[in-house]
Amino acid sequence: AQSVSQHNHHVILSEAASLELGCNYSYGGTVNLFWYVQYPGQHLQLLLKYFSGDPLVKGIKGFEAEFIKSKFSFNLRKPSVQWSDTAEYFCAVKTSGTYKYIFGTGTRLKVLA
Amino acid sequence: DAGVIQSPRHEVTEMGQEVTLRCKPISGHDYLFWYRQTMMRGLELLIYFNNNVPIDDSGMPEDRFSAKMPNASFSTLKIQPSEPRDSAVYFCASTLDRAYSPLHFGNGTRLTVT
């Protein structure tokens, strides 16, 4: 069965620090990859998505993610975080040809002002 | 575009009672999903529908849970009887039947079973 692993459950950073959140998935076929963000008290919103082409994907608010097929990874990065980035971040995988989205357990990011 | 609409936002009930959660997907969306979010297990897919037909309900925890989609604009998730371990935030999401369409989530229903 497909699964998604996010190894960092809680991350605390100071403003302006660089961020990298790990995401690994288990599936040998073609996948579509997503990062969603959930701000406190709100619903999940799409940050960025990868379907094909350039493995370096840029999303909203300065976030980017790199798809490394050989490592089954899709890590999220941001060069300089802001206090407003405090949120929970979810990696998700959808097997190409289906609509079954599987989410990781999430990473809670706290940015200290 | 009103987004995915869920009701109620909060539900508090006693163990053994029936609970019904409601969802209105974005108009025109072909797929509807029910997820459950807990601290321990994160975001779990319970069931999803395509054109009102359940496609995969392998995530439904047990027979106490049931979901229906009587038409394209309405879905329900029912728990009967409810148990304290069902306490969670339940999200509904919808998407178009297009390869590059992402999921759009509702604001969720926070269920507390005492």
Side-chain angles (χ1 to χ4, degrees):
Chain A
Q2 304 159 48
S3 65
V4 179
S5 298
Q6 292 182 244
H7 307 294
N8 312 103
H9 296 295
H10 292 90
V11 173
I12 300 175
L13 295 172
S14 297
E15 273 195 315
S18 64
L19 170 72
E20 180 160 4
L21 302 182
C23 173
N24 288 90
Y25 64 92
S26 64
Y27 182 72
T30 303
V31 294
N32 305 136
L33 299 157
F34 307 82
W35 276 97
Y36 280 81
V37 61
Q38 185 179 28
Y39 297 104
Q42 297 187 26
H43 62 280
L44 280 80
Q45 303 169 46
L46 181 68
L47 260 185
L48 49 79
K49 59 187 177 185
Y50 171 81
F51 281 82
S52 62
D54 188 345
L56 185 60
V57 180
K58 294 193 184 299
I60 60 172
K61 305 185 180 185
F63 285 91
E64 64 178 32
E66 185 175 12
F67 171 48
I68 303 180
K69 189 174 181 180
S70 61
K71 294 185 178 180
F72 298 90
S73 70
F74 189 56
N75 292 354
L76 181 70
R77 300 193 293 248
K78 185 170 184 178
S80 175
V81 295
Q82 300 172 316
W83 177 81
S84 58
D85 293 325
T86 294
E88 189 159 16
Y89 294 80
F90 292 89
C91 181
V93 169
K94 179 174 82 71
T95 307
S96 183
T98 77
Y99 283 83
K100 189 169 183 175
Y101 293 75
I102 305 298
F103 283 79
T105 51
T107 298
R108 290 190 171 219
L109 171 66
K110 182 168 182 150
V111 180
L112 304 175
Chain B
D1 183 353
V4 177
I5 300 172
Q6 290 186 247
S7 64
R9 288 296 306 274
H10 302 273
E11 177 79 45
V12 180
T13 190
E14 292 183 346
M15 183 173 66
Q17 296 299 306
E18 177 179 294
V19 174
T20 300
L21 311 181
R22 297 172 177 80
C23 175
K24 177 180 168 56
I26 292 174
S27 179
H29 279 194
D30 311 278
Y31 284 83
L32 182 141
F33 304 77
W34 282 100
Y35 284 88
R36 176 172 69 177
Q37 184 181 30
T38 60
M39 289 284 289
M40 292 299 296
R41 301 171 70 94
L43 206 58
E44 302 173 273
L45 175 63
L46 300 177
I47 185 171
Y48 75 96
F49 296 82
N50 177 219
N51 293 328
N52 316 337
V53 176
I55 303 300
D56 188 333
D57 65 355
S58 58
M60 295 286 264
E62 32 192 287
D63 292 346
R64 298 183 297 106
F65 285 69
S66 62
K68 294 182 179 179
M69 193 164 185
N71 57 62
S73 59
F74 184 65
S75 177
T76 59
L77 178 67
K78 188 175 293 187
I79 308 172
Q80 165 63 18
S82 58
E83 296 182 4
R85 61 192 167 122
D86 301 331
S87 297
V89 180
Y90 290 80
F91 285 101
C92 179
S94 69
T95 190
L96 288 165
D97 186 4
R98 289 179 196 162
Y100 300 98
S101 179
L103 286 180
H104 296 263
F105 282 84
N107 286 323
T109 294
R110 182 174 294 277
L111 173 65
T112 303
V113 183
T114 59

